[in-house]
Amino acid sequence: MRFQGKTVIVTGSGAGIGRAAALAFSREGANVVVNSVREETGSAVQRQIAAEGGRAIYVQGDISRLEDVKGIVERSLEAFGTIDILVNNAGIVLGGHPHDTTEEDWDRTMEVNVKGAFFMIRQTLPIMLEKHQGTIVNVSSVAAQKGLKNRFAYSASKGAVLSMSHAVAAEYVDQGIRCNVVCPGTILTPSLQERIDKAPDPAAQKAEFFSRQPIGRLGTPEEVAEAILFASDERAAFMTSEVISINGGMII
């Protein structure tokens, strides 16, 4: 097993990409810290891991709140003694164009997607630095690499995550810590399905999402999870500050 004995925090792991990553890490032997703001979804993932014979705890928390982040890290240390891998996956997607994005939507997007990742990195780095070893994987988006309509604040936030990741990698490359980025394209997660279902014309909305993907389909959470695991694997120990773009050809 690739991650036997390792401890990983996966933020936003109650559903979608985070859930798929949490389950995949567990199946490869990792101790998993499941995090979600929604107790019902996070606890369900923790129970599934336990039912499969894995080790996991669930910690409810909003990563945009520093006290919640401190609680996630403290609970992780209480349960497993250390933190080896941090996966910053939690994020929100609020639509909006440059001319009509509200200040409230801009601020909330930056609070979760950027400040939340910063808080998690800042609180886990001392643990990794003490043992001179650790891996950080930040989930950005193809929106950080390609212009997308109606995703102004989201694109800006994911661009910040991308740049922040390069800065972390440069800062700690000589201290045993790697930081890489995964940039998914359009992935069929529960949140995306909900946006499709709530659209005035769900069929047209689904067709629009499909049209983005030259490969002819949407991605799956499990496919992105495999990229996250690869970036976390010690067999990729020579890789840092790298961007893995898994986007179905969106940037061709």
Side-chain angles (χ1 to χ4, degrees):
M1 292 187 175
R2 286 187 283 172
F3 299 99
Q4 188 68 49
K6 299 290 186 180
T7 296
V8 55
I9 297 175
V10 184
T11 66
S13 46
I17 292 169
R19 175 183 180 275
L23 293 170
F25 272 113
S26 175
R27 290 162 184 163
E28 290 288 348
N31 306 315
V32 181
V33 179
V34 178
N35 157 254
S36 173
V37 293
R38 296 177 58 192
E39 193 276 335
E40 62 271 26
T41 59
S43 292
V45 175
Q46 186 273 329
R47 290 194 300 270
Q48 182 173 348
I49 290 173
E52 294 179 2
R55 299 183 65 200
I57 62 169
Y58 164 65
V59 186
Q60 188 174 23
D62 177 349
I63 63 166
S64 70
R65 295 169 50 88
L66 182 56
E67 289 306 309
D68 286 12
V69 169
K70 289 179 178 179
I72 293 167
V73 172
E74 288 170 4
R75 287 281 308 281
S76 302
L77 294 176
E78 290 170 3
F80 302 120
T82 191
I83 298 165
D84 301 291
I85 301 164
L86 168 64
V87 179
N88 272 316
N89 167 75
I92 60 172
V93 183
L94 300 178
H97 311 277
H99 67 275
D100 63 9
T101 294
T102 66
E103 183 177 358
E104 291 77 16
D105 283 355
W106 176 274
D107 288 346
R108 185 57 184 159
T109 298
M110 293 299 169
E111 284 173 0
V112 177
N113 295 0
V114 183
K115 189 164 71 172
F118 156 60
F119 280 163
M120 289 300 306
I121 290 169
R122 192 178 69 176
Q123 292 304 122
T124 55
L125 268 173
I127 299 152
M128 296 179 177
L129 287 168
E130 185 176 356
K131 60 184 180 180
H132 211 68
Q133 187 176 31
T135 301
I136 298 168
V137 180
N138 293 322
V139 179
S140 180
S141 169
V142 70
Q145 302 172 294
K146 172 186 173 67
L148 296 178
K149 293 181 179 180
N150 196 31
R151 293 291 183 270
F152 181 59
Y154 178 74
S155 297
S157 71
K158 290 302 187 178
V161 169
L162 187 65
S163 296
M164 182 168 59
S165 303
H166 292 314
V168 171
E171 193 80 47
Y172 303 105
V173 65
D174 59 348
Q175 298 182 64
I177 296 169
R178 299 188 298 116
C179 183
N180 292 292
V181 192
V182 173
C183 288
T186 309
I187 309 300
L188 189 55
T189 62
S191 63
L192 181 67
Q193 187 63 58
E194 183 178 359
R195 291 201 298 277
I196 291 171
D197 294 341
K198 288 182 176 179
D201 186 342
Q205 182 66 78
K206 185 175 182 179
E208 179 185 339
F209 283 131
F210 268 78
S211 70
R212 295 179 179 179
Q213 312 294 142
I215 207 169
R217 65 175 177 85
L218 303 184
T220 69
E222 290 73 21
E223 288 172 317
V224 182
E226 282 302 316
I228 293 170
L229 265 66
F230 170 71
S232 306
D233 198 328
E234 290 182 357
R235 288 176 290 187
F238 198 57
M239 185 176 79
T240 193
S241 197
E242 189 54 78
V243 180
I244 303 174
S245 193
I246 178 166
N247 59 52
M250 283 183 73
I251 57 174
I252 290 175

